[in-house]
Amino acid sequence: MTTMAVPATMTAMRAHHRGGPEVLVVEQAPVPTPAPGEVLVAVHAAAITFDELTWDETWERDGVDRTPVIPSHEASGVVAAVADGVTDFAVGDEVYGLIPFDRDGAAADYVAVPASDLASRPRSVPHTVSAALPLAGLTGWQALVDHARVQPGEQVLVHGGAGGVGAFVVQLAVALGADVTTTVRSDEARDRAAGFGATRIIDTRVEPFDGPDAVYDVVIDTIGGSTLERSFEVIRPGGRLVTLSAPPSQSRAEAFQIEAMFFIVVPDRQQLARLAELVDAGELHVVIAGTYPLADGPAAFESGRGLHRPGKTVITVRD
């Protein structure tokens, strides 16, 4: 294994039993040892997914408790060690990525990550910004490219285009050459969405998205509920509906002669590399809701219990 000088212990935010932000503590913990095929990343920033504390896979693997756990599964940092079998990263490389949720996250000085789940980070932005990109960026890319197979010139409707994932979906759909319409539900959201390149913005407080002339090739739904159910009716035969909320009705999809699908995002190095290119080209902008130092990590998670600003909340670990 190739490594820089790494201490035996580190500062980490951990939970020793299942619960919400109140169970998180910042304490000393062992520095993880990367297994073959993994790298050890000296973390500079880690982004929060507030809901991860409610997921079974955060707390167990294959039904076995794995506490104490470290949260925050989007990371940006510098490679500190390379284990056997890794040939595409070297100590000192700046990387970012999405860490599987059934292993320890990046709210710590160091995190061990499968090399295949990392890519070179965008260099035009600080670590706090690149840490906020992987989960929502990959979700948007996989929804549009892997599942909806969006083509240039197609009519795409994005529900919730100013939200955490929706903002990426709108920008990526525009970058892919689609003609994009998006829905919003507030003046603030309308103003944010206006900067993402959508051709049309529908404020659903005053205008239904499913008016008599509404016809789209693709709908990307980030909202669910009645919005999802009404979306079947605005897709032309042969079109595609991708929802992030829950598996959609296949009988309704068959009745409307469309494809309807749900998926769960997965790490992907090539897609991370493409997202980094788009950020560095100025075609993809990442919104940060706020930053907290690692010492205040529990407060960062606590901030998700109330109304919070658009974008990702990020924990800063190193300058």
Side-chain angles (χ1 to χ4, degrees):
M1 182 169 69
T2 305
T3 181
M4 63 171 61
V6 175
T9 62
M10 65 179 181
T11 301
M13 179 166 60
R14 300 202 293 180
H16 290 263
H17 58 88
R18 188 165 186 159
E22 72 282 352
V23 305
L24 296 170
V25 293
V26 178
E27 60 187 7
Q28 290 299 295
V31 171
T33 299
E38 297 181 355
V39 300
L40 183 71
V41 176
V43 180
H44 282 244
I48 285 176
T49 301
F50 293 117
D51 287 346
E52 71 176 272
L53 297 181
T54 69
W55 298 341
D56 289 341
E57 62 186 332
T58 296
W59 304 100
E60 59 187 47
R61 182 185 299 116
D62 298 327
V64 178
D65 181 274
R66 63 179 197 88
T67 55
V69 301
I70 299 174
S72 301
H73 287 73
E74 296 168 271
S76 181
V78 177
V79 174
V82 176
D84 293 342
V86 177
T87 59
D88 37 11
F89 289 118
V91 171
D93 287 349
E94 296 195 16
V95 296
Y96 84 124
L98 176 62
I99 304 164
F101 282 89
D102 63 351
R103 53 186 295 150
D104 278 341
D109 289 332
Y110 297 92
V111 62
V113 188
S116 58
D117 296 344
L118 296 171
S120 296
R121 77 176 193 92
R123 301 302 293 272
S124 62
V125 295
H127 284 282
T128 50
V129 175
S130 52
L133 174 59
L135 181 61
L138 286 171
T139 300
W141 184 270
Q142 290 170 20
L144 291 163
V145 177
D146 294 352
H147 299 285
R149 309 182 305 281
V150 169
Q151 300 300 310
E154 287 194 309
Q155 300 287 323
V156 175
L157 172 64
V158 180
H159 288 305
V165 174
F168 285 98
V169 178
V170 170
Q171 294 179 79
L172 291 170
V174 170
L176 291 166
D179 187 343
V180 183
T181 298
T182 189
T183 64
V184 298
R185 285 192 56 81
S186 71
D187 293 342
E188 182 183 8
R190 184 184 62 236
D191 293 343
R192 287 199 308 275
F196 295 153
T199 301
R200 186 179 178 214
I201 299 171
I202 298 173
D203 185 339
T204 57
R205 296 173 301 174
V206 297
E207 179 185 1
F209 71 84
D210 51 353
D213 298 326
V215 182
Y216 300 94
D217 299 293
V218 172
V219 172
I220 309 293
D221 166 51
T222 70
I223 297 174
S226 63
T227 296
L228 169 61
E229 294 307 311
R230 290 162 56 197
S231 295
F232 285 87
E233 302 177 20
V234 301
I235 304 173
R236 62 171 44 95
R240 289 86 71 201
L241 168 63
V242 179
T243 180
L244 309 180
S245 58
S249 168
Q250 293 305 306
S251 61
R252 281 178 62 79
E254 184 177 349
F256 284 97
Q257 302 177 54
I258 66 170
E259 294 180 63
M261 62 208 86
F262 165 82
F263 75 100
I264 296 175
V265 65
V266 294
D268 186 290
R269 176 186 291 175
Q270 290 184 336
Q271 293 174 1
L272 285 167
R274 180 61 181 137
L275 292 170
E277 291 173 356
L278 290 169
V279 170
D280 286 337
E283 296 183 53
L284 185 61
H285 302 279
V286 183
V287 178
I288 303 295
T291 61
Y292 292 76
L294 178 58
D296 294 335
F301 268 90
E302 186 70 41
S303 71
R305 284 181 157 164
L307 294 173
H308 53 277
R309 295 166 52 198
K312 273 282 183 177
T313 298
V314 179
I315 295 172
T316 56
V317 179
R318 287 176 172 81
D319 293 333

